Amino acid sequence: MTLLQRVVVPVATEDDAAETCAALSPYLDEIEQVIAVHVIEKAGGGIDKAPLAKRQEDAQTILDVVEDTLGDDVSVERDTAYGTDVVETLLAEANGHDATAIAFVARDGSRLVRLLSGDTSIRLVTEATLPVVALPSE
């Protein structure tokens, strides 16, 4: 079994999905299945960022990018997940799909943005119970 057999690929926006697919493309020969996951972050009792229906529609558009880009070369499963903590939700999704790894492209952000957001990339790497692959960005 190779490390990248069943890979969870978190995608946040259409641009992020396109960049992640481009970074993942050179490794598709080693991948049996890509599980594209978009997390709709819930406010946990507070006011959500946008109406749920709009966020679900956006999620489908984002996941379309992954399927349209990689679907001819590898099996793509689409998943929209909901949670108050993006990292916890991604890790639960990876475990629920019996993933062998998580692969992502780190998003840009200033130190302040990373500090305020809890730096999702660092938490993803340090809290995961399976291998996490940081793909090179363009």
Side-chain angles (χ1 to χ4, degrees), residues 71-135:
D72 289 340
D73 299 315
V74 68
S75 170
V76 175
E77 184 175 334
R78 303 160 54 111
D79 188 9
T80 302
Y82 303 84
T84 56
D85 183 299
V86 173
V87 172
E88 286 179 10
T89 304
L90 284 172
L91 296 176
E93 291 299 309
N95 289 328
H97 287 283
D98 293 324
T100 56
I102 298 172
F104 74 103
V105 173
R107 290 163 190 78
D108 291 333
S110 69
R111 287 184 189 183
L112 179 61
V113 169
R114 290 192 312 247
L115 176 67
L116 295 174
S117 69
D119 202 341
T120 302
S121 298
I122 290 174
R123 286 192 55 222
L124 190 58
V125 171
T126 58
E127 296 178 21
T129 57
L130 69 161
V132 177
V133 179
L135 298 165

Side-chain angles (χ1 to χ4, degrees), residues 26-110:
Y27 308 100
L28 292 181
D29 289 344
E30 302 172 43
I31 298 173
E32 182 180 307
Q33 183 176 36
V34 168
I35 302 126
V37 178
H38 176 78
V39 177
I40 295 178
E41 192 173 5
K42 302 297 289 170
I47 298 173
D48 287 330
K49 297 175 184 176
L52 182 58
K54 171 66 172 137
R55 295 170 76 197
Q56 289 171 325
E57 182 182 313
D58 291 346
Q60 293 310 308
T61 302
I62 293 163
L63 295 171
D64 284 345
V65 172
V66 178
E67 188 165 12
D68 293 347
T69 304
L70 302 178
D72 289 340
D73 299 315
V74 68
S75 170
V76 175
E77 184 175 334
R78 303 160 54 111
D79 188 9
T80 302
Y82 303 84
T84 56
D85 183 299
V86 173
V87 172
E88 286 179 10
T89 304
L90 284 172
L91 296 176
E93 291 299 309
N95 289 328
H97 287 283
D98 293 324
T100 56
I102 298 172
F104 74 103
V105 173
R107 290 163 190 78
D108 291 333
S110 69

